[in-house]
Every structure is written in structure tokens, then in C-alpha cells.
Amino acid sequence: MDCNSREELARVELIRNVFNSPLYKFIVDGIDFFIHSEIVSMHSTPLDRMINSGMLESQQGYAVLEDVDKGTFARFVHWAYSGAYHGADYVIEVDESECSDSARVASNIRQDSQRESDQGDTLPGYREWSRLVDTDKYCWPESWCPASRAQFKDCFKLSTYESLHPFTCRPLPRANASSLENYSSVFLSHVRLYAFADKYDIHALKMLALKQLHLTLSEFTLYPQRVQDVVQVIKYVWKVTGVELDKGSSIRELLRRYICVEFDVLISEDSFGQCLEDRELPMADFLMIAETRVRGSPNPPDLQDADRLGIHFLS
């Protein structure tokens, strides 16, 4: 018997074991999901312990997961059986020009008033960061030659995030075609799946979600009206993920590189500025991004190098 025949027999036996194993019920957002216990054990040690180690969940025959939404868990189940998953769909928003002028003016007045009342003396406004980058007030070293956005974009696209499953080769994600296309749900579907896989030690799924997010961002055109889509992702990632030792597989590192690409667009928008002022993107990370963008190098410096900038007193 040749090697290929033995591998085929092993694959058949594995499939038989999976589908002969009992179904286990997970309850997510009040929805029952039934999945073969063997396939859960194959992919996740923490989930395997939950259903096979004598814990309460194994005794009662079901587990209630309160740290995941139904959409994310459905994508996990789809991936567990097929090796792939589908991200969420984008949403078409109503053109703001269809709203009444009076309502829009009133909304702008409320937003301006709120921003003025929220301003304090602890952190300069984000527009000061923009002026800082656009001028040589702080005497950047002559060796720091700012690169163009196109150069950063090309470098970002060339980054590789390899998935570990042979059945995950799919066409590139769809590129957005209008500022009316809200992609926040698309981005968050990958990010939430990444966070779920990270918590339950599903490395192959974690790497696939990272790859899908990278491909989606690579094809995404960041219109000023869509900055909020990216800001939502930044807030979520820095809230639910920790610092990872392997930078090559870190979702924070991926987003830092993307912010470098779209720095000029992001820094000019209120939603990103509020994210900075609320410290939802930590100042140490922003300083590292700012230095990378001004320096013109695609490789971000270490966090401890940020204090070499003349702007470290703002943190």
C-alpha cells in the first residue's frame, strides 16, 4: 500500500470517527447549535475539556456560551466541518443628502457642543497630532524620509498571513465601491471570530480569520465617511485582545500597519480623534504608528522606542 492510499484511509477513518461521535449542544444567544463532539475535541482543547472532562457541561449534556454571539459561533461550526467560513455582509446606508437640512444642522450643532464640553487639559486634540506630522516643528531626523501612502499600501498588501488548512483557498474579498457601503459588520465578523479562536485555542481558525481580515482591508477603499467602520474595529480589538508575543500573528500588529497606510485619512476625522482622546487606542501604540508613518519605514519600531520622539510628553 502506497503512502497516498494510507493517507486516504486515515482520512476516511477520521471522518468516520467524527460522524459516529455523539452530537453535543451549545446554546448561544438562545439558539441551539448541535455539533459532533469529536470535531470539537479535534479543534479546541478548552472546549474538549468542557464536554469530556466531567465538568458540569459534560454532565448536563450542553453548554451555554455567553462570551460569543450566534453569528461568530455559526462561522466556527461552518469552519469546523468545511475548513472555511463566510464573513458578514456589508450594509448599504441611506444617503445623508436625503435627510432634511435642518436635522443635519441640528445634529452637527449637538456634536460640536458635545466635543467642546468633553475637551479637557489632559490630552491635546487629535488635530494637533495632524499638525505635528505635517510640519517639521519637532525637527525630525534627516534620515526619516516620509514614504507615500501608495508605498505603505503596497507593503501592507504584500504582508502574508498564512492559513493552516488546505481547503481555505478562496477568491479575494469583494472591494467596496461606494462610501455608502458600511463594512463595519464585515470587519467585525473576522475580528470576533479571531477573538473567539484565540480564547478557545483554535490556532488554525485564528490564523484564517487574521488572513481574511488582512485581505479585506487590502481591498478596502477608506472613504472619509467610512472611517467609523475602521474605528469600531480598533476599539474592539484593543478592548478584547491582549498583547501577543508572536507579532507575525497579532491582530494588533495588523491594525497598526493598516493605520500607517491610512494615517492621513484617519487623523483628519472626528471619530478617530475621539478614539484617541478616549484612550481607546493607547497612546504608546499611536506614538509607534506616528513614528513609523513619518519615518517612512514599513516596519514599526518597538514600543519602547516611542519616547525618542519629541512628542512623548503628550502621552
Side-chain angles (χ1 to χ4, degrees):
M1 183 180 297
D2 59 24
C3 181
N4 290 336
S5 298
R6 286 195 297 270
E7 289 180 357
E8 185 62 27
L9 285 176
R11 184 177 304 154
V12 171
E13 183 64 21
L14 177 62
I15 294 174
R16 182 183 294 115
N17 290 339
V18 166
F19 287 98
N20 285 337
S21 65
L23 290 171
Y24 188 83
K25 181 171 74 173
F26 290 93
I27 302 176
V28 180
D29 285 346
I31 305 297
D32 294 347
F33 290 87
F34 292 91
I35 181 171
H36 289 91
S37 57
E38 183 64 24
I39 205 166
V40 175
S41 301
M42 284 170 49
H43 291 305
S44 171
T45 300
L47 291 177
D48 174 56
R49 293 196 189 106
M50 183 182 294
I51 66 178
N52 290 315
S53 64
M55 297 174 63
L56 174 62
E57 290 83 358
S58 64
Q59 297 175 20
Q60 64 189 11
Y62 66 90
V64 180
L65 300 182
E66 298 180 348
D67 55 354
V68 60
D69 63 274
K70 60 185 178 182
T72 298
F73 195 77
R75 291 183 182 92
F76 159 65
V77 174
H78 190 277
W79 170 84
Y81 284 102
S82 69
Y85 73 89
H86 298 282
D89 293 328
Y90 63 93
V91 176
I92 299 292
E93 294 186 341
V94 177
D95 191 339
E96 188 179 350
S97 62
E98 297 179 7
C99 301
S100 67
D101 290 339
S102 58
R104 190 159 59 251
V105 169
S107 175
N108 290 338
I109 291 174
R110 284 196 301 273
Q111 291 176 5
D112 291 342
S113 176
Q114 182 65 36
R115 280 195 296 272
E116 291 173 3
S117 64
D118 288 344
Q119 286 179 347
D121 297 328
T122 58
L123 184 67
Y126 64 95
R127 297 193 187 281
E128 295 181 32
W129 290 105
S130 180
R131 288 197 297 273
L132 176 66
V133 173
D134 291 341
T135 69
D136 59 356
K137 177 180 178 182
Y138 291 93
C139 301
W140 304 107
E142 292 182 2
S143 59
W144 292 5
C145 179
S148 69
R149 176 190 173 281
Q151 290 172 303
F152 274 91
K153 185 75 170 183
D154 289 343
C155 183
F156 181 81
K157 283 188 171 184
L158 290 173
S159 301
T160 56
Y161 297 89
E162 295 299 329
S163 58
L164 305 179
H165 198 287
F167 304 112
T168 55
C169 296
R170 301 179 60 196
L172 288 175
R174 173 190 179 276
N176 60 323
S178 165
S179 62
L180 299 179
E181 296 176 358
N182 186 328
Y183 262 56
S184 58
S185 58
V186 181
F187 299 142
L188 288 172
S189 66
H190 300 307
V191 171
R192 287 171 177 153
L193 193 59
Y194 175 97
F196 172 82
D198 185 49
K199 178 172 183 177
Y200 289 103
D201 194 23
I202 313 173
H203 184 67
L205 178 57
K206 176 180 169 180
M207 292 303 299
L208 177 58
L210 189 69
K211 179 177 182 177
Q212 289 297 98
L213 178 62
H214 171 251
L215 291 174
T216 304
L217 288 171
S218 295
E219 298 299 314
F220 184 69
T221 298
L222 183 57
Y223 299 96
Q225 299 92 327
R226 298 268 56 93
V227 165
Q228 179 61 33
D229 300 357
V230 175
V231 169
Q232 288 186 48
V233 175
I234 294 171
K235 290 180 179 180
Y236 186 88
V237 166
W238 264 267
K239 180 180 179 181
V240 304
T241 67
V243 177
E244 296 173 285
L245 297 178
D246 184 3
K247 286 188 176 182
S249 62
S250 166
I251 196 167
R252 290 190 178 190
E253 182 67 16
L254 170 63
L255 285 178
R256 279 194 289 261
R257 290 182 181 277
Y258 181 75
I259 295 171
C260 280
V261 174
E262 303 293 0
F263 192 85
D264 295 339
V265 178
L266 290 166
I267 203 68
S268 64
E269 293 299 316
D270 290 354
S271 56
F272 184 75
Q274 195 62 52
C275 179
L276 292 178
E277 293 182 4
D278 292 342
R279 304 295 181 100
E280 290 171 298
L281 175 64
M283 191 54 58
D285 288 279
F286 181 74
L287 287 175
M288 183 166 59
I289 293 165
E291 178 177 1
T292 303
R293 192 65 175 90
V294 175
R295 215 173 41 157
S297 168
N299 299 313
D302 293 332
L303 281 171
Q304 58 265 32
D305 290 340
D307 61 4
R308 291 190 290 107
L309 288 172
I311 56 176
H312 67 276
F313 67 88
L314 294 175
S315 61

